[in-house]
Amino acid sequence: MSSRIICLAILVNAMALLFACTQSKDTAAAPTVAPANWPAAPGVFSVFVTAGGSNVFTFEKWRFTKAEMPDGKVENLDLAIEISTASLTTDWKDLEKGVKSKKDYFYVSKFPIARVAIQGAQPKGDGTYTCDALLTLKGVSKTVPLTFEISDSKPYQVKGDGMIFRSKFKFTGNGPEEEVPLNFDLTLPICP
């Protein structure tokens, strides 16, 4: 192997390492590949489905790809989140398997990643906030209103809820009700 090729390979690897080291771990965009190497999720995303009884589905793997709150104001909140649809779990394993595999539900093999984007929030006056989250699920992007509360100090703890309507995201299978409540409890990776 020529010394030029070796030097070029070393230079490319050094540049990649330098680039990786200059990116914030919390906000650096990462490729949307299988989340096997994603860090532990910084909180919990759950949805509640009524299908043959009440079932809690929890997404075990998700991450922030952007987390900013300019001037420390919740009104300026700017978040981007990726969620592995394959990481969906519930106690009823047969239901879990069907929801992940069927085209009329999550169709995980074609749509392995769901995305959430939040830009800004409005105070309600009672210590809570509202925002419109852009949810992309199964290739469909729709606005989902959320209500949440956020702690006053770092690390910021956020707890909230919202409602997803199945038909808006091409969920056509029989069984679950149209309205799917969701809850979240997470830690924002925002540094001073």
Side-chain angles (χ1 to χ4, degrees), residues 9 25 27 30 36 45 65 75 106-107 116 135 157 173 178 185 188:
K25 280 196 309 188
T27 60
F45 273 108
T65 57
E75 293 86 345
F106 278 101
Y107 197 8
V116 178
L135 173 61
Q157 299 296 316
E178 168 68 2
D185 185 347
L188 291 181

Side-chain angles (χ1 to χ4, degrees), residues 2-13:
S2 80
S3 61
R4 285 185 182 172
I5 293 174
I6 294 172
C7 288
L8 181 60
I10 292 171
L11 179 61
V12 168
N13 286 331

Side-chain angles (χ1 to χ4, degrees), residues 107-180:
Y107 197 8
V108 170
S109 63
K110 185 171 181 179
F111 302 102
I113 303 292
R115 290 181 175 76
V116 178
I118 296 171
Q119 292 185 321
Q122 301 78 40
K124 287 180 61 177
D126 62 356
T128 64
Y129 293 83
T130 61
C131 68
D132 288 329
L134 182 64
L135 173 61
T136 301
L137 184 62
K138 292 181 67 176
V140 177
S141 296
K142 298 287 182 184
T143 301
V144 176
L146 302 176
T147 301
F148 65 93
E149 57 186 42
I150 185 169
S151 64
D152 292 331
S153 59
K154 296 174 188 168
Y156 295 109
Q157 299 296 316
V158 180
K159 293 181 182 182
D161 55 42
M163 185 76 67
I164 297 173
F165 295 90
R166 290 182 342 115
S167 60
K168 289 186 177 183
F169 293 96
K170 299 182 182 177
F171 283 71
T172 58
N174 294 330
E177 294 180 1
E178 168 68 2
E179 296 178 349
V180 180

